[in-house]
Amino acid sequence: MKHKIISSQNISKNCLVCGVDNDFGLKTHFYETESGELVAVFKPISEHQSYPGVTHGGISAAILDEVIGRAIMMTNPDIFGVTISLTMRYRKPVPLGVELKAVGRITRDNGRLFEGTGELYLPDGEVAVSAEGKYMKRRLDQITDKDFTANEWFTPDGELPEEIVL
Protein backbone atom coordinates (compact mmCIF):
# COMPACT_ATOMS: atom_id res chain seq x y z
CA MET A 1 0.00 0.00 0.00
CA LYS A 2 1.41 3.39 -1.02
CA HIS A 3 0.87 6.57 1.00
CA LYS A 4 1.46 9.91 -0.73
CA ILE A 5 3.21 12.21 1.75
CA ILE A 6 2.18 15.86 2.01
CA SER A 7 4.14 17.02 5.09
CA SER A 8 6.04 15.96 8.18
CA GLN A 9 5.43 16.71 11.85
CA ASN A 10 7.81 18.20 14.37
CA ILE A 11 9.98 15.99 16.56
CA SER A 12 11.84 16.71 19.78
CA LYS A 13 15.17 16.17 21.49
CA ASN A 14 14.35 13.89 24.43
CA CYS A 15 11.06 12.07 23.79
CA LEU A 16 11.22 8.27 23.99
CA VAL A 17 9.39 8.00 20.67
CA CYS A 18 10.74 10.90 18.58
CA GLY A 19 13.69 12.30 20.52
CA VAL A 20 16.81 12.60 18.39
CA ASP A 21 19.07 13.13 21.44
CA ASN A 22 17.60 10.23 23.43
CA ASP A 23 20.17 7.41 23.16
CA PHE A 24 17.48 4.82 23.93
CA GLY A 25 14.70 6.45 21.90
CA LEU A 26 13.03 5.27 18.71
CA LYS A 27 13.96 8.46 16.79
CA THR A 28 10.67 8.25 14.92
CA HIS A 29 9.70 10.55 12.07
CA PHE A 30 6.04 11.28 11.36
CA TYR A 31 4.58 11.92 7.92
CA GLU A 32 1.12 13.19 7.06
CA THR A 33 -0.53 11.52 4.10
CA GLU A 34 -2.82 12.77 1.39
CA SER A 35 -5.49 10.36 2.66
CA GLY A 36 -5.52 11.90 6.17
CA GLU A 37 -3.47 9.26 7.96
CA LEU A 38 -0.22 9.68 9.86
CA VAL A 39 2.71 7.34 9.14
CA ALA A 40 5.48 6.80 11.69
CA VAL A 41 8.85 5.43 10.55
CA PHE A 42 11.27 4.04 13.14
CA LYS A 43 13.84 1.32 13.83
CA PRO A 44 13.86 -0.45 17.22
CA ILE A 45 17.30 -1.20 18.68
CA SER A 46 18.59 -3.83 21.10
CA GLU A 47 17.68 -1.65 24.12
CA HIS A 48 14.02 -2.11 23.08
CA GLN A 49 14.27 -5.90 23.33
CA SER A 50 11.87 -8.20 25.15
CA TYR A 51 12.55 -11.79 24.12
CA PRO A 52 15.75 -12.26 22.10
CA GLY A 53 15.40 -10.43 18.78
CA VAL A 54 11.88 -9.22 19.60
CA THR A 55 10.77 -5.66 20.38
CA HIS A 56 9.09 -5.27 23.77
CA GLY A 57 5.30 -4.98 23.63
CA GLY A 58 5.50 -1.71 25.57
CA ILE A 59 7.52 -0.18 22.73
CA SER A 60 4.83 -1.28 20.26
CA ALA A 61 2.23 0.32 22.52
CA ALA A 62 4.27 3.53 22.76
CA ILE A 63 4.62 3.93 18.99
CA LEU A 64 0.93 3.23 18.35
CA ASP A 65 -0.14 5.55 21.18
CA GLU A 66 2.00 8.31 19.69
CA VAL A 67 0.92 7.87 16.05
CA ILE A 68 -2.78 7.84 17.00
CA GLY A 69 -2.43 10.69 19.50
CA ARG A 70 -0.51 12.81 16.99
CA ALA A 71 -3.03 12.21 14.18
CA ILE A 72 -5.11 15.08 15.58
CA MET A 73 -2.20 17.43 14.76
CA MET A 74 -3.03 17.05 11.08
CA THR A 75 -6.06 19.30 11.61
CA ASN A 76 -4.42 21.57 14.21
CA PRO A 77 -0.64 21.42 14.76
CA ASP A 78 -0.95 23.08 18.20
CA ILE A 79 -3.18 20.30 19.60
CA PHE A 80 -1.89 17.04 21.09
CA GLY A 81 -3.79 13.95 22.12
CA VAL A 82 -3.39 12.99 25.79
CA THR A 83 -4.23 9.31 26.25
CA ILE A 84 -7.37 8.35 28.16
CA SER A 85 -7.41 4.69 27.15
CA LEU A 86 -5.49 2.45 24.77
CA THR A 87 -6.38 -1.10 23.77
CA MET A 88 -3.75 -3.25 22.06
CA ARG A 89 -3.94 -6.42 19.98
CA TYR A 90 -0.62 -8.24 19.50
CA ARG A 91 -0.63 -10.56 16.48
CA LYS A 92 2.99 -11.22 15.52
CA PRO A 93 6.43 -10.67 17.04
CA VAL A 94 7.98 -7.31 16.13
CA PRO A 95 11.66 -7.66 15.11
CA LEU A 96 14.55 -5.47 16.21
CA GLY A 97 17.01 -3.73 13.90
CA VAL A 98 14.73 -3.22 10.88
CA GLU A 99 12.80 -0.20 9.70
CA LEU A 100 9.17 -0.44 10.74
CA LYS A 101 6.11 1.68 10.04
CA ALA A 102 2.99 2.48 12.00
CA VAL A 103 -0.13 4.20 10.71
CA GLY A 104 -2.66 6.12 12.79
CA ARG A 105 -5.90 7.92 12.06
CA ILE A 106 -8.80 9.69 13.75
CA THR A 107 -12.04 7.70 13.70
CA ARG A 108 -14.21 10.00 15.80
CA ASP A 109 -13.85 13.63 16.85
CA ASN A 110 -16.16 14.86 19.62
CA GLY A 111 -14.88 18.32 20.47
CA ARG A 112 -12.60 17.85 23.52
CA LEU A 113 -12.20 14.11 22.96
CA PHE A 114 -11.28 12.03 19.96
CA GLU A 115 -10.82 8.37 19.11
CA GLY A 116 -8.43 6.70 16.73
CA THR A 117 -6.96 3.46 15.48
CA GLY A 118 -3.55 2.37 14.31
CA GLU A 119 -1.45 -0.52 13.07
CA LEU A 120 2.23 -1.42 13.33
CA TYR A 121 3.45 -3.02 10.10
CA LEU A 122 6.26 -5.53 9.60
CA PRO A 123 8.67 -5.02 6.68
CA ASP A 124 6.65 -7.50 4.57
CA GLY A 125 3.47 -5.42 5.04
CA GLU A 126 1.78 -7.69 7.59
CA VAL A 127 0.13 -6.10 10.62
CA ALA A 128 1.98 -7.14 13.79
CA VAL A 129 0.09 -5.01 16.32
CA SER A 130 -3.08 -2.93 16.21
CA ALA A 131 -4.54 -0.45 18.66
CA GLU A 132 -7.51 1.75 19.34
CA GLY A 133 -7.54 4.62 21.73
CA LYS A 134 -9.42 7.51 23.24
CA TYR A 135 -7.68 10.86 23.77
CA MET A 136 -8.29 14.30 25.22
CA LYS A 137 -7.26 17.29 23.13
CA ARG A 138 -4.71 19.53 24.83
CA ARG A 139 -2.99 22.62 23.48
CA LEU A 140 0.78 22.41 23.53
CA ASP A 141 0.92 25.27 26.07
CA GLN A 142 -1.30 23.22 28.42
CA ILE A 143 1.18 20.34 28.65
CA THR A 144 4.56 22.04 28.30
CA ASP A 145 6.25 25.44 28.45
CA LYS A 146 7.69 27.93 25.97
CA ASP A 147 11.22 26.60 26.53
CA PHE A 148 10.16 23.27 25.05
CA THR A 149 8.59 24.80 21.94
CA ALA A 150 11.51 27.18 21.47
CA ASN A 151 14.38 24.77 22.15
CA GLU A 152 13.19 21.18 21.79
CA TRP A 153 10.36 21.09 19.22
CA PHE A 154 11.50 21.32 15.61
CA THR A 155 11.13 20.17 12.02
CA PRO A 156 13.26 17.09 11.32
CA ASP A 157 16.27 17.27 9.02
CA GLY A 158 16.18 15.60 5.65
CA GLU A 159 14.02 15.57 2.58
CA LEU A 160 10.34 14.81 2.69
CA PRO A 161 9.66 11.47 0.95
CA GLU A 162 7.15 11.60 -1.90
CA GLU A 163 5.53 8.38 -0.75
CA ILE A 164 5.88 5.65 1.84
CA VAL A 165 5.11 2.05 0.98
CA LEU A 166 3.83 -0.37 3.61
Side-chain angles (χ1 to χ4, degrees):
M1 177 183 328
K2 293 181 182 179
H3 289 274
K4 184 173 168 59
I5 304 304
I6 57 172
S7 65
S8 66
Q9 289 188 353
N10 280 5
I11 57 174
S12 72
K13 291 183 179 181
N14 295 301
C15 174
L16 172 67
V17 176
C18 70
V20 296
D21 291 342
N22 184 333
D23 292 339
F24 300 108
L26 294 169
K27 299 175 180 25
T28 307
H29 285 214
F30 295 90
Y31 301 100
E32 298 179 2
T33 70
E34 189 175 66
S35 63
E37 293 180 312
L38 186 64
V39 177
V41 179
F42 67 103
K43 186 177 186 178
I45 57 176
S46 62
E47 287 80 3
H48 304 133
Q49 178 172 289
S50 174
Y51 300 108
V54 177
T55 301
H56 193 282
I59 296 295
S60 298
I63 192 72
L64 285 166
D65 183 40
E66 187 89 2
V67 77
I68 299 167
R70 277 176 169 258
I72 200 67
M73 294 172 63
M74 291 187 291
T75 57
N76 185 339
D78 295 322
I79 298 292
F80 276 70
V82 177
T83 312
I84 295 172
S85 66
L86 185 67
T87 304
M88 306 294 298
R89 181 162 182 221
Y90 297 91
R91 298 175 177 166
K92 297 190 174 280
V94 177
L96 295 168
V98 296
E99 183 178 88
L100 299 170
K101 297 171 183 98
V103 178
R105 70 203 55 81
I106 304 303
T107 56
R108 188 173 188 184
D109 189 346
N110 294 328
R112 280 187 41 190
L113 303 177
F114 70 93
E115 297 174 16
T117 60
E119 301 80 33
L120 193 162
Y121 290 88
L122 298 173
D124 67 4
E126 285 190 88
V127 174
V129 185
S130 60
E132 57 184 57
K134 186 179 222 179
Y135 299 80
M136 179 185 302
K137 293 178 188 175
R138 302 297 284 175
R139 290 186 323 270
L140 190 55
D141 67 357
Q142 291 175 306
I143 56 178
T144 191
D145 58 29
K146 290 181 183 176
D147 276 349
F148 174 80
T149 55
N151 301 315
E152 293 199 36
W153 188 238
F154 55 91
T155 303
D157 291 336
E159 290 186 33
L160 188 66
E162 287 185 32
E163 66 182 21
I164 292 176
V165 179
L166 300 181

